[in-house]
Structure formats: C-alpha cells, structure tokens
Amino acid sequence: MITITPFGAAGEVTGSSYLVETQNGNLLVDFGMFQGDKDDDARNIIPGKIHRTAISAVLLTHAHFDHSGRLPLLVREGYGGPIFSTPATREMAEVILSDSAHIQTSDFERKQRRFKKFGKKLNRIEQPLYDADDVIDTMKLFSDVPYETEVSIIEGVTAVFHEAGHMLGSTSITLLVQDEGAVKNVLFSGDLGPLDMPYLKDPRPPNFADVVVMEATYGDRDHQSLQDTLLQFAAIIQNAVQNKGKIFIPSFAIGRAQQIIYHLAQFIRNGLVPPLPIYLDSPMAIEAFALYKKYPTLLDRESREWLEKGQIAEDLATLELCASAQQSKEINDTRGPFIVIAGAGMCNAGRIVHHLYHNITDPNSHIVIVGYQARGSLGRYIVDGASNVSIMGDRKPVRAEVHTLGGFSAHAGQTELLNWYDRVASTKPLTILTHGEIDSRNALSEKITERFGVESIKPSYAQIIKL
Ligand SMILES: [Zn+2]
C-alpha cells in the first residue's frame, strides 16, 4: 500500500512537504519552510514521523523557500540520500538556501551580541536552523533531472518532471510507483503558474493520473487580468512621478522581482512612464536574474529574444542593482520619485522592512503589493488595511498609500487550475487538495465536484492518506 502524508501546506500555503511511503521505500516530495508569524517559525522542525522514517530519496518540485527551506535541516540531521530536481531548480535553490543560512546566522549573531550586553542566555528556538556549511552539504546531494524524461528514483519508483510554469525550473512530478503488482501513477502538481507569464513557458500537465495532489492557492478566484493590472501599475507610477513620491514594492526575489522589472522595461520602452530611478535592492534577485540568462531554453520565445538582444540594458538605463547594504541605506536619503523593489515578499524580513520602517508614515509614499501575503505576515496586515503596524518593534501608523495589484500572481487562478485539472481528469483520479487556505480549498473542491464529478480530499497536517 502507498500512503501520502502532508507535513505542511495542508489548509495553508507554506511548509510544503509530503511523505510518500511505498512498499520499496519512503520518499519526501518537497520539504519547505513555514512562513508567516512566530508560531509558523516554531513549526520549522523535522516532524517526529519523518525523523522515525527512513527516507530513501527527496524530490523537489521547485526552489521556492516554502518548498525547499527545510532541506538543509534534514541534511544537518543526517539525511544523505539524493535530492532530485531540474538543474535550474538546483541552482535557484542554492541561491535561496544560501541566503536563508546567511540571514539566520547574522540574525543569531546580532541577538547574541545584544543578549551578551544584558547578560541573558539565548534559548534553543533562537539558534539558526542551519548554516552555510549545511547548505553546501545539501547541494552535494542534488541530482539533475531533465524535463519529460522517466528517471529511476528508488527501486520500484520512477518519476517524470513536467513543466509547471511557476518559476524558472519549476515542475509538476509524476511518480510511477509499483504497488502490489500494479503501477500507480501519482501526480504532484507542485505550484502551478498562470498562462503567459513573462519569461516562462505555460504549464504542461501529463494527460493521465491515478492520484492527483494539487495546489489550491487561488482555488476560490480568478486573478484580475494582467492587462488591467499593468494599467493600474502604470497609473500608480505616473502619479508618483508627478508628486515626486517613492514607490516601495515588496517582492519575492526570485520570479516576481524579474517579472516586475520586465514590465517596467515595457513601460519605459513604450513611453508609458518616464525613465525614473529603479533600485533592485536585493542581492538574491540580482543573482537569480543571471540564471534566467543561463537557461534560455527554459524561457518562452518572446522573453528569450528580449533577453538575448540585450534590450534590458537599453530600456532600463535607470536600473540600479543594489548588492551591498550600503547602497540600500543610501536610498533612505534619496528624493523621489523612484521605485524600490526589495525582499522579502511578505515584508516579514529583509531590506523591505527597513524601507517600510522609514517610509510607511509618509503619505507621499506608495506601497505596491504585487504578491501573496500569508496570514500573520506584516504584508498581510498592510493589505488588510491596518491603521498601524509593528515594524522592528515599533508601532507605526500606516499613512503611505497602499495598492494591491492582483494580476501578477505566479499561481494559476481558479479557471486555470480547473483547466489544468481537466487534462488529467478523464480517469477520475483520487484528488487531494493542498497548498491553499481553507476557503480556497473548499471553493476549488466544490468546482471540481461540479465540473468533473470528483470529490476531493482536503487533508489536515499529518493526516495519513491511504491510496
Ligand atoms: Zn512556489
């Protein structure tokens, strides 16, 4: 018998991880970090059941931190088996995990200095989960997998990685598992992208599955159209330029930041906005951008041409890449108008926190939300219209203008999710919905029943599903 047990992203959107137990060995699909508030941080452990289970292999759908973030912890605790992913996912994961190790270590050292000053001891929870050496050890375990090629994972289990159109290197994964004389075809959607994302190809699901484990992030709604979103975005910039305002865009460093830059280049090229200073204030985003150029075959045709022609340098003469902290600090003393793109995407860490600390009380500042904000994150409070928020321990009134742009998602909207599911639905697969908050999951589940006559399972954390 095969069982699947989610250890994250079950009724929520972070911490993605599935334990797959088979007669020949046990696998993990993704092992991501929980993100949000302090309670979420405390859940970033290796669950007892995973500790007790011998894991033979890990498969990684894509590099995002909420799918890869706990892998170095697993390695630190003794895991030494392979981690299968596409080469682009491996390289993206290296950027993301190294950054996390660096942040954890420097946060710890800063706290240590402060506590020393006051003669206190740090308790265990404040220790870094892992450091740069753990990430180096983790990267050694990666094993490259090409798209659409059946590869052996362990005896009795093979896998095929399909394009998921969600970020560079992202995949859905089909596991072909031998089980009591038959082969079960288990498809993990991973995170699914919308159609026509800048740079990326569209998702390409297989046309068959016995079991589908599917994300439901936007299962309850379609996104605003990208066209409308771009018009709105351009209008915000035009207005800020007129009033010499400052625009702050909290952004995931990988994927979203590059997408925003792509659109800014278009705006400037088309004369929709004047060339104004744009600060890409994220070393990680800068590194990730280099990887887009390294994997041209993963890009859609238009973006590939755009990159190869060197158009970005031409359109974005005003783009400044802020790799150093000093460059970032200098933005504080700069007059508007300008645009800052900085991480973290949900405002819960990183350079954006400093920018918000200094500018959220300024009515001539604009905070442009371009990504998902999980419950409990600073970004979510801002989006939900909080009149004041806590930033770096201080209470700050929100006087900046807050704009939420819905059309930039790297996740498929409800209709796109249903169309993706349609490709594999003919066999009425056992359907397990994950990676979505309760309402989104319920809405998608209802739609799937309505359109395909399939009842979905909506598991909770650590709920064992027998296939
Ligand atoms: Zn993702």
Side-chain angles (χ1 to χ4, degrees):
M1 187 180 45
I2 307 165
T3 65
I4 296 178
T5 314
F7 284 100
E12 57 190 328
V13 295
T14 67
S16 272
S17 175
Y18 307 95
L19 174 65
V20 183
E21 294 169 281
T22 81
Q23 63 188 32
N24 288 311
N26 308 308
L27 314 168
L28 267 186
V29 176
D30 295 347
F31 199 38
M33 207 65 118
F34 290 99
Q35 293 171 288
D37 57 18
K38 285 217 156 47
D39 292 342
D40 291 313
D41 291 344
R43 297 163 71 199
N44 286 318
I45 53 163
I46 299 180
K49 171 134 188 208
I50 293 181
H51 248 309
R52 291 188 298 274
T53 307
I55 307 289
S56 303
V58 176
L59 300 96
L60 183 59
T61 59
H62 66 289
H64 276 149
F65 196 53
D66 63 317
H67 291 254
S68 68
R70 277 186 286 170
L71 287 173
L73 182 62
L74 195 69
V75 174
R76 186 184 178 126
E77 299 287 319
Y79 177 72
I83 301 171
F84 293 97
S85 79
T86 61
T89 291
R90 168 176 51 77
E91 291 212 60
M92 285 286 189
E94 185 168 15
V95 173
I96 291 173
L97 297 174
S98 303
D99 179 73
S100 168
H102 173 73
I103 290 172
Q104 291 183 51
T105 307
S106 48
D107 276 358
F108 178 69
E109 285 167 356
R110 199 175 47 240
K111 276 184 200 154
Q112 223 173 12
R113 281 196 297 273
R114 198 164 5 130
F115 275 60
K116 232 182 190 165
K117 218 167 111 185
F118 297 108
K120 287 187 202 162
K121 262 200 175 148
L122 284 171
N123 62 28
R124 204 180 150 275
I125 199 102
E126 283 155 325
Q127 301 270 344
L129 290 173
Y130 48 82
D131 59 22
D133 289 338
D134 298 314
V135 174
I136 291 169
D137 291 342
T138 305
M139 296 319 302
K140 288 179 193 154
L141 302 179
F142 271 79
S143 180
D144 287 354
V145 173
Y147 280 95
E148 297 300 337
T149 307
E150 191 169 335
V151 290
S152 172
I153 303 298
I154 55 172
E155 203 198 313
V157 180
T158 59
V160 184
F161 288 56
H162 318 277
E163 178 60 66
H166 168 69
M167 75 177 288
L168 197 74
S170 70
T171 58
S172 303
I173 301 176
T174 293
L175 286 181
L176 298 149
V177 185
Q178 279 186 24
D179 182 48
E180 291 159 14
V183 174
K184 272 235 160 70
N185 181 317
V186 184
L187 173 62
F188 289 85
S189 72
D191 287 0
L192 296 169
L195 303 180
D196 300 326
M197 277 271 282
Y199 301 116
L200 302 182
K201 293 177 183 164
D202 291 338
R204 251 188 81 193
N207 46 23
F208 175 81
D210 295 311
V211 181
V212 179
V213 182
M214 184 183 181
E215 71 122 318
T217 316
Y218 288 96
D220 58 343
R221 58 195 184 279
D222 281 325
H223 302 300
Q224 189 187 4
S225 84
L226 183 61
Q227 206 54 34
D228 293 348
T229 302
L230 291 177
L231 288 174
Q232 216 180 326
F233 187 30
I236 294 164
I237 301 171
Q238 287 156 359
N239 178 276
V241 167
Q242 250 172 16
N243 298 309
K244 301 196 166 27
K246 303 173 178 180
I247 297 176
F248 299 92
I249 307 179
S251 170
F252 293 109
I254 291 183
R256 187 58 37 82
Q258 291 77 27
Q259 186 188 2
I260 295 299
I261 285 174
Y262 183 99
H263 295 307
L264 290 173
Q266 277 180 324
F267 288 168
I268 292 171
R269 194 184 317 147
N270 300 334
L272 210 55
V273 303
L276 74 164
I278 299 166
Y279 302 101
L280 181 58
D281 189 16
S282 163
M284 191 163 48
I286 296 167
E287 269 185 81
F289 207 36
L291 290 178
Y292 280 68
K293 294 172 195 162
K294 186 172 169 184
Y295 290 99
T297 57
L298 298 186
L299 306 179
D300 67 12
R301 212 187 57 198
E302 192 190 43
S303 311
R304 192 154 132 189
E305 283 174 11
W306 183 82
L307 268 181
E308 281 172 355
K309 274 199 300 197
Q311 190 103 39
I312 187 158
E314 208 176 296
D315 297 329
L316 294 173
T318 53
L319 176 71
E320 196 177 314
L321 305 177
C322 304
S324 75
Q326 187 54 34
Q327 285 172 295
S328 177
K329 280 184 193 139
E330 281 165 13
I331 300 172
N332 281 336
D333 305 320
T334 308
R335 288 193 181 179
F338 61 71
I339 298 173
V340 176
I341 303 164
M346 298 194 281
C347 313
N348 47 342
R351 292 181 180 178
I352 193 68
V353 177
H354 294 267
H355 292 304
L356 294 180
Y357 184 86
H358 292 291
N359 294 284
I360 201 165
T361 57
D362 174 10
N364 200 27
S365 285
H366 301 261
I367 302 168
V368 182
I369 301 288
V370 295
Y372 192 85
Q373 308 298 315
R375 245 177 318 160
S377 63
L378 172 59
R380 180 69 162 256
Y381 289 117
I382 293 172
V383 166
D384 285 348
S387 55
N388 60 80
V389 290
S390 169
I391 307 180
M392 298 198 294
D394 286 339
R395 213 73 212 166
K396 295 270 185 185
V398 181
R399 297 205 189 96
E401 226 179 292
V402 178
H403 313 264
T404 306
L405 299 180
F408 286 131
S409 184
H411 283 272
Q414 186 188 61
T415 304
E416 288 161 326
L417 286 173
L418 289 166
N419 289 343
W420 183 89
Y421 184 84
D422 192 15
R423 290 278 295 270
V424 295
S426 60
T427 48
K428 295 207 186 297
L430 178 73
T431 301
I432 302 162
L433 297 183
T434 59
H435 203 289
E437 290 180 1
I438 309 285
D439 292 346
S440 309
R441 222 163 50 150
N442 287 343
L444 188 65
S445 167
E446 275 170 35
K447 286 279 173 193
I448 287 177
T449 307
E450 205 177 285
R451 186 158 148 192
F452 305 101
V454 176
E455 298 285 342
S456 309
I457 299 171
K458 291 166 276 181
S460 50
Y461 182 90
Q463 179 182 332
I464 301 168
I465 303 159
K466 294 176 182 168
L467 307 189

